[in-house]
Amino acid sequence: MSVGDVSKRILLGRKLRSSQLGETLLPKRIALPVFASDALSSVAYAPDEIFIMLAIAGTSTYVWSWKIGLVVALVMLTVVASYRQTVHAYPSGGGDYEVATVNLGRNAGITVASALIVDYVLTVAVSISSAAQYAAGAIPPLIGHEATVGVVAVAILTAMNLRGVRESGGFFAVPTYLFMVAILGMCAYGLLRLLAGDLPQAESAGLTIQPSPGWEEPLTQVGLMFLLARAFSSGCAALTGVEAISNGVPAFRKPKSRNAATTLLLLALIAITMMMSVIVLAKQMTIRYVDPHELDRLRSAGGGAVPADYDQHPVIAQIAAGVFDHFSPGFYFVITVTGIILVLAANTAFNGFPVLGSILAQDGLAPRSLGSRGDRLAYSNGIVFLAAMSMLLIWVFDAETTKLIQLYIVGVFVSFNLSQLGMIRHWTRHLRTETDPANRRRMMRSRAINTFGLGMTAVVLVIVLLTKFLAGAWITILAMGFFFLLMQAIGRHYARVELELAADEQDKVMPTRVHAIVLASKLHKPTLRALAFARATRPNVLEAIYVSIDSKATTRLMEEWDERHLDIPLKVLHSPYREVVRPVVEYTQEIRRASPRGVVAVYIPEYVVGRWWEQLLHNQTALRLKGRLLFTPGVMVISVPYQLRSSLVAAEREKRDEERVHAGDLRRGRVAAPEPGRQVDDL
Amino acid sequence: MSVGDVSKRILLGRKLRSSQLGETLLPKRIALPVFASDALSSVAYAPDEIFIMLAIAGTSTYVWSWKIGLVVALVMLTVVASYRQTVHAYPSGGGDYEVATVNLGRNAGITVASALIVDYVLTVAVSISSAAQYAAGAIPPLIGHEATVGVVAVAILTAMNLRGVRESGGFFAVPTYLFMVAILGMCAYGLLRLLAGDLPQAESAGLTIQPSPGWEEPLTQVGLMFLLARAFSSGCAALTGVEAISNGVPAFRKPKSRNAATTLLLLALIAITMMMSVIVLAKQMTIRYVDPHELDRLRSAGGGAVPADYDQHPVIAQIAAGVFDHFSPGFYFVITVTGIILVLAANTAFNGFPVLGSILAQDGLAPRSLGSRGDRLAYSNGIVFLAAMSMLLIWVFDAETTKLIQLYIVGVFVSFNLSQLGMIRHWTRHLRTETDPANRRRMMRSRAINTFGLGMTAVVLVIVLLTKFLAGAWITILAMGFFFLLMQAIGRHYARVELELAADEQDKVMPTRVHAIVLASKLHKPTLRALAFARATRPNVLEAIYVSIDSKATTRLMEEWDERHLDIPLKVLHSPYREVVRPVVEYTQEIRRASPRGVVAVYIPEYVVGRWWEQLLHNQTALRLKGRLLFTPGVMVISVPYQLRSSLVAAEREKRDEERVHAGDLRRGRVAAPEPGRQVDDL
């Protein structure tokens, strides 16, 4: 009786990649801006944080600023060198999470994942807070309302990402390159004026800074070391985002790994150049910069307090104002693109989060529905979660970058460390089997790089923890712990279910008979269709069931039934209390009891409507009945849909929804193919 | 091939009324309190309103108070006489709505339904506001927080009704009879003291009332008439709730109609006695009572203003305080049971609303799911709606009964009028065919009563509209209009759908073949069960479908498949973008295109879990897929459930939910049968 004895397998594929979806791989010049905005944007706040920390002991420590910058640059180069090994060894785009899971086990992977989740939230919070400060610098009425500006900006980003923005390379390339041009151009012009000897002083140059209480001169050796360590760990904010490329290797053109590695190096060189230029220029323009909460430590030249309405502009803004002192469009250009790049950096978190979610879902650490693209609900929930958390942070910390920075970086360096450790294990394992001397040499070299990287990042992590734990990092660690436990619990649940579901031999038993019942509420098209479909499956028993809650309607139905000569018996279940679900469930249980090895097939005619309010008016009982029948063993529930005209509306809507661009598509190598007659703007 | 040629019909019935549910009809002595609390409770505020309205022109008009009371009593007797006809003619419990629909058409029925909906909301708002005032009278710290007290009380009532309170006759009988005892006892004792000549004056007796501006003496004839009309229409608040019995006839013991009619008369006599006693006593105790907003119109005996902290107690409270001047427990007893009866009256709205909803649902004027008992969602939504609307009213009107009364009554009299008109039509129609002289005489008499009733209620409606339209009745009329249009729209929608669904001859065509596809995500028990069930239905084609989003998992599944010798071909659909839903939908569409007269049966293995968070972790994709497939013509979707151990939790919960008592059960004649070993407390 069974059909199809030959196990034929047809591999569909290309065929289904139809319609408007296409795949475009990114050339280096587009990949750089797509993945770099997060890393580059930190130049907008990292130098500021270095100056703020140094200013704790007054201006004398400012001599250390460019040295700290150099150390940060050194760390960045080390980290990038390490990641260049990663993109070669793990070209699948799993990034730190994959490296840690494969080499160090599941718990290390979960730790990295927790760190990444927390970091995505902080990327949004820090970038948007910084952007709000730039906005307030350019538009004075916004001063004092930075938190509101930030929350509104996050809300707009959220709406855009929920809606699905058609991202293209150009979307990222234009502002990112403009930002590079703006910062590097400004610095080059500034350095030129420095050489020419007419570099103006910064607007804050005339001020002096009073040391914080307890940090007055002369500093002890230990005190100075601690101060420099704090400044350094704040400066390490410049490193956030460099790992993005290691998650995006599959989106690169071939040779993927090499291109990704080259882009990484390029990114590092640009980021370092920008950061160092900004620090050097700031130093040369004798900038004075303190924690925005302690503006009263600023003293005017005469030693008096600065005016109460003194507004401290970000470092880049002060440099731009000085360098372009006779050319205000230059100033506004720098400020504007800086603001834009910061928003773009926040947007990368909205793109990266769903990608991370899908990887975690595949490994059973997050709801599986996150794993398939386009689960609107899961996907939207992720975006809304990210937005809500970052809004909360912006609101609680009043959009003060300096405070949020204290929470940042811990997560980044946790994943850096685990990733490096994983890479060392990776090379050691491969060295065990590799015999080719050239390969072995390469691997040894890679391992050396990763070992150096681990040493470096471990030291940084310790410094960060020591200097920032009480200042806010404990919040991050708490949050990471929470996500760690949550993912572990989800993982355990899935494992338990899998065990319970594992097939054994017994499961091959076929049901002996099929007893089909069709639920009839009226004798209309949906019922007739369900009867026809049910009959087409040739069950052993076929009957229609009607739950009677009104004797007049029952009589009418029975008459119609007879008139139609339907040849299918109609069974009436009386329900004196107007219950519909219970009598049907009890009836199926009864059938099942009578033949325990048979199966009851319950056919439910459903009409499919298109509008949400129509949903409220129809099928509610069918829905509830299906829900209850699922709990009844030996029952299968068959929905026989009848599409009403209005269902076309919904079918169209569903289709549009599915074809819509989703945040993160671009970095998964999935971009919208150009519409006919439209320019390809990203190739 | 089809099974079962003989159309056998088995009528199940009693058998399903199993478990804890039973049916108990109400004897008159229990039915009275069940249905009377709403009507009787108005004695707690109706006399107050009469005095407030009369006080507009100062105390001189107080001489009219008992005459107005008499007119209200007359109207009540007329209305009750009319309803006695209704309960005989329409014993099915449809009440005014049924009378209007049957005799005056659908739109009249919808109008009555709108009026009832609005009235349910106002019953809650008015009763709870009045109760809050009594509470403040007995517990001084609550003074000034009446609105908060009211909102909290509604919230508690809502929670209780959502949870499902096990109502019994005793639940109503005890407080209602206590209330009668309290009020009638107090009045009897008061009248006794009056005869004995030692009736004390009320606490407000020493005060005088300044007329409102424009109402100073001497009043014009027209002015007086208008004032009396206003007082009368406010007093008509006493009539709200008398129609409740006409909705509850089926819950009475046989002879249902006669018992209901007797109970109605009893109710009217008790209500009138209570109201008249209160008015007369209040008059004798020279009560002074003004709008609580205009306490500054009260003047102390010397002509000066009353103290700023003067608190005006409700009429019953003032009488109780006076009558029981040497026996304060008597005072607290009266106040307490009055408060309780008011809360009980509000609760009747929570009970009546779902009953009305189910009747409207049956007639296609409300979502059909309201029609079957125990649709938790629809039912809860109804209760929450009622609560939200009444809370809003209490909050907006600051729990001031006097203001809320202006909105009340309009709806009641709209349905009174339409109901009377309907009854006249009813008798006229029946008289056309009736030949038996005795019957004809009875019908003529009934028609005369209803005609008199219509005349009376029409006059009252006009008076109410004239005197209250601007004072708030416009809100009621607006709300009624809204519900009218909403119900009409729902009715039209259902009619349109019914037309589209009407069966024609073409619909008997049987599908030529069944192409079954089983969705396999893994080779575990649910999949094996789905395969077995699918095979049991012997389709023309049977194949398994796997959506491949990861080549390693695909290879593993294919190997397992071969190992198991499943004899069913496995088709792999490649989905490079991790979409699951779309490839399946497109594949079914393809099959359907290939054989347009066949049907595609999609088997979806589902595992059934028990806890809400497990739901989030499972079946989300299956759910979405089912949703999408419903829009695909020629497809039936078969859920093959596999019950995990944890599903027992949910099955138990569902069962408990279903067996739970629902608000309104008692008045539908459905009450919980006594548990073993428990006293039957309502027989």
Side-chain angles (χ1 to χ4, degrees), chain B residues 623-637:
Chain B
L623 212 68
R624 216 151 43 84
L625 181 60
K626 282 197 279 185
R628 278 284 273 124
L629 284 174
L630 288 182
F631 292 109
T632 316
V635 167
M636 53 181 172
V637 184

PDB file of all heavy atoms in Angstrom, chain B residues 623-637:
ATOM      1  N   LEU B 623       4.226  26.902  13.854  1.00  0.00           N
ATOM      2  CA  LEU B 623       3.087  27.806  13.948  1.00  0.00           C
ATOM      3  C   LEU B 623       3.028  28.736  12.750  1.00  0.00           C
ATOM      4  O   LEU B 623       1.984  28.950  12.140  1.00  0.00           O
ATOM      5  CB  LEU B 623       3.238  28.621  15.226  1.00  0.00           C
ATOM      6  CG  LEU B 623       1.969  29.044  15.920  1.00  0.00           C
ATOM      7  CD1 LEU B 623       1.273  27.840  16.483  1.00  0.00           C
ATOM      8  CD2 LEU B 623       2.291  30.010  17.051  1.00  0.00           C
ATOM      9  N   ARG B 624       4.195  29.291  12.429  1.00  0.00           N
ATOM     10  CA  ARG B 624       4.246  30.240  11.334  1.00  0.00           C
ATOM     11  C   ARG B 624       3.951  29.538  10.011  1.00  0.00           C
ATOM     12  O   ARG B 624       3.247  30.064   9.151  1.00  0.00           O
ATOM     13  CB  ARG B 624       5.632  30.882  11.280  1.00  0.00           C
ATOM     14  CG  ARG B 624       5.619  32.321  10.869  1.00  0.00           C
ATOM     15  CD  ARG B 624       6.783  33.057  11.478  1.00  0.00           C
ATOM     16  NE  ARG B 624       7.986  32.271  11.383  1.00  0.00           N
ATOM     17  CZ  ARG B 624       8.780  32.231  10.305  1.00  0.00           C
ATOM     18  NH1 ARG B 624       8.482  32.967   9.243  1.00  0.00           N
ATOM     19  NH2 ARG B 624       9.857  31.483  10.279  1.00  0.00           N
ATOM     20  N   LEU B 625       4.480  28.343   9.897  1.00  0.00           N
ATOM     21  CA  LEU B 625       4.257  27.587   8.672  1.00  0.00           C
ATOM     22  C   LEU B 625       2.774  27.286   8.502  1.00  0.00           C
ATOM     23  O   LEU B 625       2.212  27.448   7.415  1.00  0.00           O
ATOM     24  CB  LEU B 625       5.066  26.286   8.738  1.00  0.00           C
ATOM     25  CG  LEU B 625       4.949  25.386   7.521  1.00  0.00           C
ATOM     26  CD1 LEU B 625       5.437  26.104   6.284  1.00  0.00           C
ATOM     27  CD2 LEU B 625       5.752  24.117   7.726  1.00  0.00           C
ATOM     28  N   LYS B 626       2.146  26.871   9.592  1.00  0.00           N
ATOM     29  CA  LYS B 626       0.711  26.578   9.505  1.00  0.00           C
ATOM     30  C   LYS B 626      -0.051  27.817   9.074  1.00  0.00           C
ATOM     31  O   LYS B 626      -0.941  27.764   8.230  1.00  0.00           O
ATOM     32  CB  LYS B 626       0.190  26.074  10.849  1.00  0.00           C
ATOM     33  CG  LYS B 626       0.548  24.624  11.082  1.00  0.00           C
ATOM     34  CD  LYS B 626      -0.283  24.019  12.186  1.00  0.00           C
ATOM     35  CE  LYS B 626       0.281  24.386  13.537  1.00  0.00           C
ATOM     36  NZ  LYS B 626      -0.427  23.716  14.632  1.00  0.00           N
ATOM     37  N   GLY B 627       0.327  28.944   9.667  1.00  0.00           N
ATOM     38  CA  GLY B 627      -0.331  30.195   9.314  1.00  0.00           C
ATOM     39  C   GLY B 627      -0.226  30.485   7.830  1.00  0.00           C
ATOM     40  O   GLY B 627      -1.206  30.865   7.183  1.00  0.00           O
ATOM     41  N   ARG B 628       0.957  30.266   7.272  1.00  0.00           N
ATOM     42  CA  ARG B 628       1.154  30.581   5.870  1.00  0.00           C
ATOM     43  C   ARG B 628       0.448  29.578   4.972  1.00  0.00           C
ATOM     44  O   ARG B 628      -0.114  29.952   3.934  1.00  0.00           O
ATOM     45  CB  ARG B 628       2.653  30.594   5.538  1.00  0.00           C
ATOM     46  CG  ARG B 628       3.323  31.879   5.899  1.00  0.00           C
ATOM     47  CD  ARG B 628       2.996  32.996   4.895  1.00  0.00           C
ATOM     48  NE  ARG B 628       3.909  32.975   3.775  1.00  0.00           N
ATOM     49  CZ  ARG B 628       3.549  32.887   2.518  1.00  0.00           C
ATOM     50  NH1 ARG B 628       2.277  32.788   2.205  1.00  0.00           N
ATOM     51  NH2 ARG B 628       4.428  32.877   1.552  1.00  0.00           N
ATOM     52  N   LEU B 629       0.461  28.317   5.355  1.00  0.00           N
ATOM     53  CA  LEU B 629      -0.138  27.295   4.500  1.00  0.00           C
ATOM     54  C   LEU B 629      -1.650  27.472   4.394  1.00  0.00           C
ATOM     55  O   LEU B 629      -2.261  27.081   3.408  1.00  0.00           O
ATOM     56  CB  LEU B 629       0.200  25.896   5.022  1.00  0.00           C
ATOM     57  CG  LEU B 629       1.622  25.419   4.744  1.00  0.00           C
ATOM     58  CD1 LEU B 629       1.882  24.100   5.435  1.00  0.00           C
ATOM     59  CD2 LEU B 629       1.859  25.276   3.238  1.00  0.00           C
ATOM     60  N   LEU B 630      -2.242  28.058   5.428  1.00  0.00           N
ATOM     61  CA  LEU B 630      -3.690  28.255   5.382  1.00  0.00           C
ATOM     62  C   LEU B 630      -4.080  29.135   4.209  1.00  0.00           C
ATOM     63  O   LEU B 630      -5.192  29.054   3.700  1.00  0.00           O
ATOM     64  CB  LEU B 630      -4.183  28.897   6.686  1.00  0.00           C
ATOM     65  CG  LEU B 630      -4.176  28.008   7.927  1.00  0.00           C
ATOM     66  CD1 LEU B 630      -4.732  28.759   9.114  1.00  0.00           C
ATOM     67  CD2 LEU B 630      -4.981  26.747   7.700  1.00  0.00           C
ATOM     68  N   PHE B 631      -3.153  29.989   3.778  1.00  0.00           N
ATOM     69  CA  PHE B 631      -3.477  30.883   2.669  1.00  0.00           C
ATOM     70  C   PHE B 631      -3.278  30.210   1.312  1.00  0.00           C
ATOM     71  O   PHE B 631      -3.541  30.805   0.286  1.00  0.00           O
ATOM     72  CB  PHE B 631      -2.612  32.145   2.735  1.00  0.00           C
ATOM     73  CG  PHE B 631      -2.948  33.023   3.901  1.00  0.00           C
ATOM     74  CD1 PHE B 631      -2.105  33.144   4.977  1.00  0.00           C
ATOM     75  CD2 PHE B 631      -4.145  33.730   3.906  1.00  0.00           C
ATOM     76  CE1 PHE B 631      -2.427  33.952   6.048  1.00  0.00           C
ATOM     77  CE2 PHE B 631      -4.471  34.537   4.973  1.00  0.00           C
ATOM     78  CZ  PHE B 631      -3.616  34.648   6.045  1.00  0.00           C
ATOM     79  N   THR B 632      -2.770  28.988   1.327  1.00  0.00           N
ATOM     80  CA  THR B 632      -2.471  28.302   0.075  1.00  0.00           C
ATOM     81  C   THR B 632      -3.652  27.406  -0.284  1.00  0.00           C
ATOM     82  O   THR B 632      -3.987  26.511   0.483  1.00  0.00           O
ATOM     83  CB  THR B 632      -1.207  27.442   0.259  1.00  0.00           C
ATOM     84  OG1 THR B 632      -0.234  28.210   0.965  1.00  0.00           O
ATOM     85  CG2 THR B 632      -0.648  27.010  -1.073  1.00  0.00           C
ATOM     86  N   PRO B 633      -4.294  27.622  -1.401  1.00  0.00           N
ATOM     87  CA  PRO B 633      -5.464  26.811  -1.744  1.00  0.00           C
ATOM     88  C   PRO B 633      -5.068  25.357  -1.998  1.00  0.00           C
ATOM     89  O   PRO B 633      -3.956  25.071  -2.433  1.00  0.00           O
ATOM     90  CB  PRO B 633      -5.979  27.450  -3.041  1.00  0.00           C
ATOM     91  CG  PRO B 633      -5.335  28.797  -3.112  1.00  0.00           C
ATOM     92  CD  PRO B 633      -4.030  28.665  -2.404  1.00  0.00           C
ATOM     93  N   GLY B 634      -6.001  24.469  -1.701  1.00  0.00           N
ATOM     94  CA  GLY B 634      -5.790  23.052  -1.979  1.00  0.00           C
ATOM     95  C   GLY B 634      -4.827  22.368  -1.031  1.00  0.00           C
ATOM     96  O   GLY B 634      -4.276  21.324  -1.346  1.00  0.00           O
ATOM     97  N   VAL B 635      -4.616  22.965   0.117  1.00  0.00           N
ATOM     98  CA  VAL B 635      -3.697  22.369   1.076  1.00  0.00           C
ATOM     99  C   VAL B 635      -4.457  22.060   2.348  1.00  0.00           C
ATOM    100  O   VAL B 635      -5.316  22.837   2.754  1.00  0.00           O
ATOM    101  CB  VAL B 635      -2.541  23.347   1.382  1.00  0.00           C
ATOM    102  CG1 VAL B 635      -1.762  22.899   2.599  1.00  0.00           C
ATOM    103  CG2 VAL B 635      -1.632  23.479   0.183  1.00  0.00           C
ATOM    104  N   MET B 636      -4.205  20.914   2.950  1.00  0.00           N
ATOM    105  CA  MET B 636      -4.683  20.760   4.316  1.00  0.00           C
ATOM    106  C   MET B 636      -3.490  20.542   5.232  1.00  0.00           C
ATOM    107  O   MET B 636      -2.499  19.935   4.849  1.00  0.00           O
ATOM    108  CB  MET B 636      -5.734  19.658   4.459  1.00  0.00           C
ATOM    109  CG  MET B 636      -5.390  18.304   3.942  1.00  0.00           C
ATOM    110  SD  MET B 636      -6.815  17.193   4.198  1.00  0.00           S
ATOM    111  CE  MET B 636      -6.314  15.736   3.311  1.00  0.00           C
ATOM    112  N   VAL B 637      -3.585  21.087   6.408  1.00  0.00           N
ATOM    113  CA  VAL B 637      -2.445  21.076   7.319  1.00  0.00           C
ATOM    114  C   VAL B 637      -2.767  20.153   8.480  1.00  0.00           C
ATOM    115  O   VAL B 637      -3.770  20.342   9.162  1.00  0.00           O
ATOM    116  CB  VAL B 637      -2.159  22.496   7.841  1.00  0.00           C
ATOM    117  CG1 VAL B 637      -0.924  22.480   8.710  1.00  0.00           C
ATOM    118  CG2 VAL B 637      -2.006  23.465   6.694  1.00  0.00           C
TER     119      VAL B 637
END
